[in-house]
Amino acid sequence: MSNKTSFIRDNIAVGFMLFALFLGAGNIIFPPQLGQMAGENILISMIGFLITGVGLPLLGIIAVAKNGGDLEVLAGRINPYFGIIFTSIIYLSIGPFFAIPRTGAVSYSIGVAPFLSDTMQESWVPLFITTILFFGLTFYLAYNPTKIVDRVGKILTPALLIVICFLAIKAIITPMGEIGESQGAYINNAFGESFIQGYLTMDVLASLVFGIVIIQSLVARGVTEKAQQIKITVFAGIVAALGLAFVYVSLGYIGVTSTSAIGFHKDGGTIISLAAQQLYGQAGNIILSAVIILACLTTSVGLLSANATFFHKIFPKVSYQVYLVIFALFSFGVSNFGLEDLINLSLPVLVAIYPFAIVLMLFALFGNLFNHAPSVYGMALIFTGIVAIYDGIKQAGFEIEAYDNFLSIFPLYEQGIAWVVPALVGGVIGYIMYLVKRK
């Protein structure tokens, strides 16, 4: 019993560190929006969202840990060039293409916009000024590595949890309103729609990168035995998963009970800001805004630094500092599309690449069964791409009727995850190829 207690005590900090890495802008803005849209179907919607927002990231952390902690090495088992290309896509997705710009857009949406007049909110100027200051500070902190970001992050994560707790408790004790009716796709396909919306957190993609952070942390503590590393990583993943589940359920409940009080809104940032004001008045909004802006800043600095470090490793002729400049300027530009447009831009890409990440992750978990044969991974991903790439194109508004009719015969098509069965079929074909080659 004492050994078990000692294990939990010694490694709970690793779990909190992992939770802090995951907890970013997307984790705050999407659950309230899902709550408003799901309405009476909130339970089944939350299950779908928790699978992609909590369950799969946990498996991702475990899969990468079991395979040495490096996504590039894992993906490189298929082909070295694929390893570099796929890992680059993941970094860019959770970096300057989507996640970093989103930190700036959320900082404006939650931290600045609620305090502006309607006329000012319609102008592009406040967003421009906010993001130029935000990414200027992000660049400065990433350019001058300092423990202040780490220390502030250790303070901000508990602070953000406390704020969410107070909002959720107040929403339960004095609900803003009754649970409303389901909207749009949530009426007939609540599970499938929520499963896809979970992609927007980008937590599965992040989990494939964060695995190496955990491994490096354990090595620094002297934990070098692989079995022990995996055991601690699984524990840390469970701690992080429980934390994320609490955040998602709490914010989802706030969203689902807020409609009658604050009305429907197109982005979760506005919903959580108005809900905080409704529950605690202007003081609640000010506290939430300050914590969100600082939390987004630490996330932005971490992601900017990670991207610059990775691409400097791949292309060392370009310095770390130059990558910082390029990615900071690019993120600043993309963030000025605004939160709603940024989400709309990111969803087609995420719909296309998420299935690849999930399939790679799940097959890696059972890689010992087929000796991590490249043919198994390769065929599974090829068959996945037959559906996933078109799903992304369709999400962007370009539909090919004949191809869509072909895909409609696949199981789970209505739920938006028709790639599942082709991925399994491709894996089986790849396994047969592996057996034939081995003979």
Side-chain angles (χ1 to χ4, degrees):
M1 184 68 180
S2 59
N3 287 338
K4 185 175 181 180
T5 303
S6 176
F7 176 85
I8 293 173
R9 185 183 63 249
D10 292 344
N11 297 298
I12 194 77
V14 183
F16 284 141
M17 179 187 76
L18 182 58
F19 172 66
L21 288 173
F22 275 118
L23 192 61
N27 308 91
I28 305 301
I29 63 174
F30 295 117
Q33 185 180 18
L34 178 141
Q36 282 206 344
M37 296 298 293
E40 58 200 8
N41 288 327
I42 184 62
L43 180 59
I44 188 67
S45 293
M46 190 53 66
I47 291 172
F49 191 82
L50 289 177
I51 289 174
T52 42
V54 177
L56 291 178
L58 172 58
L59 293 180
I61 288 289
I62 297 170
V64 175
K66 285 184 65 176
N67 289 274
D70 195 326
L71 173 60
E72 186 184 345
V73 173
L74 173 58
R77 283 180 170 150
I78 303 168
N79 179 278
Y81 292 109
F82 176 81
I84 294 174
I85 293 171
F86 182 76
T87 306
S88 298
I89 291 173
I90 298 299
Y91 268 98
L92 290 171
S93 296
I94 64 170
F97 281 4
F98 305 123
I100 296 177
R102 193 167 68 187
T103 59
V106 169
S107 294
Y108 170 77
S109 178
I110 298 179
V112 177
F115 304 101
L116 301 177
S117 66
D118 292 341
T119 303
M120 287 295 291
Q121 288 187 37
E122 292 175 1
S123 171
W124 59 271
V125 176
L127 175 60
F128 183 88
I129 294 174
T130 300
T131 51
I132 201 169
L133 291 173
F134 181 88
F135 287 109
L137 187 54
T138 294
F139 172 78
Y140 172 77
L141 292 173
Y143 190 88
N144 299 278
T146 169
K147 289 188 176 180
I148 188 170
V149 175
D150 182 50
R151 288 170 180 166
V152 170
K154 288 179 180 178
I155 297 170
L156 284 174
T157 300
L160 187 54
L161 274 176
I162 291 170
V163 170
I164 292 172
C165 279
F166 274 111
L167 290 174
I169 291 169
K170 185 71 160 56
I172 293 171
I173 296 174
T174 57
M176 288 178 281
E178 299 293 328
I179 293 176
E181 296 182 355
S182 304
Q183 305 293 317
Y186 290 86
I187 298 174
N188 298 315
N189 186 27
F191 177 85
E193 185 66 19
S194 302
F195 187 94
I196 299 299
Q197 289 298 313
Y199 291 179
L200 288 166
T201 65
M202 298 193 225
D203 283 343
V204 169
L205 305 185
S207 72
L208 299 177
V209 174
F210 291 161
I212 194 169
V213 178
I214 301 299
I215 297 298
Q216 289 173 344
S217 173
L218 295 178
V219 170
R221 289 171 50 189
V223 181
T224 56
E225 185 183 349
K226 185 176 180 180
Q228 188 68 2
Q229 287 178 346
I230 294 172
K231 182 179 179 181
I232 296 173
T233 300
V234 171
F235 174 79
I238 292 171
V239 171
L242 290 173
L244 287 174
F246 166 76
V247 170
Y248 292 154
V249 172
S250 298
L251 294 177
Y253 178 79
I254 290 171
V256 79
T257 56
S258 69
T259 307
S260 61
I262 66 174
F264 277 105
H265 295 276
K266 294 180 180 180
D267 73 80
T270 301
I271 295 169
I272 194 65
S273 294
L274 293 176
Q277 188 169 356
Q278 183 76 20
L279 291 168
Y280 283 105
Q282 194 73 349
N285 215 356
I286 291 172
I287 294 171
L288 175 68
S289 298
V291 173
I292 288 290
I293 289 175
L294 292 173
C296 285
L297 182 64
T298 56
T299 300
S300 180
V301 172
L303 291 176
L304 185 66
S305 178
N307 270 264
T309 301
F310 171 75
F311 283 101
H312 175 60
K313 184 186 77 171
I314 301 298
F315 305 105
K317 290 185 178 180
V318 181
S319 70
Y320 169 82
Q321 289 77 11
V322 170
Y323 278 119
L324 285 181
V325 172
I326 295 171
F327 292 151
L329 288 174
F330 188 87
S331 300
F332 160 71
V334 175
S335 68
N336 274 268
F337 283 102
L339 185 56
E340 183 184 348
D341 288 341
L342 184 55
I343 291 170
N344 291 334
L345 284 170
S346 64
L347 188 55
V349 178
L350 295 176
V351 167
I353 67 174
Y354 236 82
F356 287 97
I358 293 172
V359 170
L360 177 63
M361 171 189 76
L362 293 178
F363 274 80
L365 281 173
F366 303 99
N368 290 336
L369 298 178
F370 52 87
N371 200 28
H372 293 285
S375 62
V376 178
Y377 287 114
M379 293 305 296
L381 292 176
I382 288 172
F383 276 60
T384 299
I386 291 173
V387 181
I389 293 174
Y390 174 73
D391 281 346
I393 294 171
K394 183 179 177 180
Q395 186 68 45
F398 303 98
E399 195 167 333
I400 304 171
E401 186 177 354
Y403 200 73
D404 202 57
N405 291 336
F406 164 68
L407 294 182
S408 67
I409 66 174
F410 290 11
L412 303 175
Y413 169 83
E414 293 295 334
Q415 288 71 36
I417 48 176
W419 51 267
V420 172
V421 173
L424 293 174
V425 171
V428 170
I429 293 174
Y431 184 67
I432 294 172
M433 293 169 60
Y434 159 68
L435 293 177
V436 170
K437 185 177 180 179
R438 191 174 63 172
K439 289 181 179 180

